[in-house]
Every structure is written in structure tokens, then in C-alpha cells.
């Protein structure tokens, strides 16, 4: 495929490729499944535990327009911030800080431009891209 325009903008681009779809199920772990955090808690290395993704969500919460769900578990002397298993916490958001972010419409509740569908699409594109750029052991 001719990439004259792309090559002018990005000299290292020699040809373009279509994004391939990879058939795999993304694995989503909760903090309570993390053996490193479990070991830190057992060793008494701290009293408040959270992952980087949870902390990032908490720090950006004043600007957030989409719902998210964080569960706080309190044990004697310990706090664990975790995500709910059924939440869309791991999905990318789309236009969250736009002046008019996408929203559900009463006219078309199953439309393709709802926040949930756009989020799923963005997440799948990201996951497929990251799998496609990995070097194969066959090459």
C-alpha cells in the first residue's frame, strides 16, 4: 500500500498495516488477587494499599464525568482500595473531558456512540494494537 503521505509525516514509516483482531480474553485482576500486595500486607510494609490505576482514578475524580466504582476493604489496621469485579474500571474512557461528552440517547439506547460502546471499542483497539506490535517468535 502506498504510504506517501504517512512517510512524509513519519520518515521511519515504510508501509502501513491494517489492525488485526486477536482472539483472546483480556485478564483483569483485582488487587486482592495480587500476590505482591498480599505479601506487602503480611510483612507489614504499609497500612493503606492501592494499585496505580486506582490511585490515578482517585486523583482524576474531580474531573470525571463517567461513573467508576472503588471498593474499600477495612481490616484491623489495614485499608485496601480495590475495584469491583463487574465494573468498567479497566476500560479506556473516550472524550471524558470534552465539553459535550458522548451520552446515552433515549431515542437510540443501543446506539454505537454510547460511552460504554466507545469505551469498549477504544479498549479493544488498544489491546489489539499492543498485541500486533509485539515481535513474534516466528520471525
Amino acid at each position: 500500500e502506498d504510504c506517501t503521505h504517512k512517510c512524509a509525516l513519519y520518515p521511519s514509516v515504510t508501509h502501513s498495516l491494517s489492525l488485526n483482531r486477536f482472539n483472546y480474553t483480556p485478564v483483569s485482576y483485582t488487587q486482592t488477587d495480587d500476590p505482591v500486595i498480599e505479601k506487602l500486607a503480611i510483612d507489614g510494609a504499609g497500612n493503606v494499599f492501592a494499585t496505580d490505576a486506582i490511585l490515578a482514578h482517585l486523583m482524576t475524580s474531580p474531573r470525571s464525568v463517567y461513573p467508576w466504582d472503588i471498593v474499600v476493604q477495612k481490616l484491623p489496621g489495614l485499608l485496601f482500595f480495590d475495584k469491583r469485579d463487574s465494573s468498567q474500571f479497566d476500560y479506556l474512557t473516550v472524550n471524558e473531558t470534552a465539553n459535550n461528552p458522548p451520552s446515552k440517547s433515549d431515542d437510540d439506547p443501543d446506539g454505537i456512540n454510547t460511552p460504554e460502546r466507545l469505551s469498549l471499542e477504544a479498549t479493544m483497539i488498544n489491546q489489539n494494537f499492543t498485541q500486533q506490535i509485539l515481535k513474534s517468535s516466528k520471525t
Side-chain angles (χ1 to χ4, degrees):
E1 182 177 329
D2 180 30
C3 68
T4 307
H5 178 68
K6 289 180 185 174
C7 292
L9 294 173
Y10 305 101
S12 63
V13 174
T14 56
H15 65 282
S16 60
L17 296 172
S18 297
L19 185 62
N20 295 325
R21 177 176 280 190
F22 291 85
N23 294 323
Y24 73 99
T25 305
V27 179
S28 174
Y29 293 106
T30 62
Q31 178 176 300
T32 54
D33 296 333
D34 189 336
V36 174
I37 291 182
E38 180 181 0
K39 182 174 179 349
L40 289 171
I42 291 171
D43 293 345
N47 55 2
V48 178
F49 298 92
T51 63
D52 59 336
I54 290 171
L55 286 176
H57 272 69
L58 287 173
M59 290 188 301
T60 59
S61 63
R63 293 275 312 200
S64 182
V65 295
Y66 295 141
W68 43 269
D69 197 358
I70 293 179
V71 177
V72 180
Q73 294 179 335
K74 185 176 180 182
L75 299 175
L78 300 174
L79 280 178
F80 292 92
F81 289 83
D82 208 347
K83 64 179 182 165
R84 196 172 305 277
D85 287 332
S86 61
S87 72
Q88 289 194 311
F89 191 87
D90 292 322
Y91 291 118
L92 300 174
T93 58
V94 180
N95 291 333
E96 183 171 7
T97 57
N99 287 334
N100 296 317
S103 61
K104 284 191 175 183
S105 170
D106 292 335
D107 299 334
D108 189 13
D110 294 326
I112 61 170
N113 288 326
T114 62
E116 293 82 11
R117 294 258 176 110
L118 291 172
S119 178
L120 177 61
E121 179 182 13
T123 303
M124 294 312 297
I125 288 171
N126 187 27
Q127 294 294 327
N128 286 324
F129 178 74
T130 58
Q131 293 302 306
Q132 185 167 330
I133 63 171
L134 293 174
K135 286 187 175 182
S136 171
S137 61
K138 298 175 187 173
T139 58

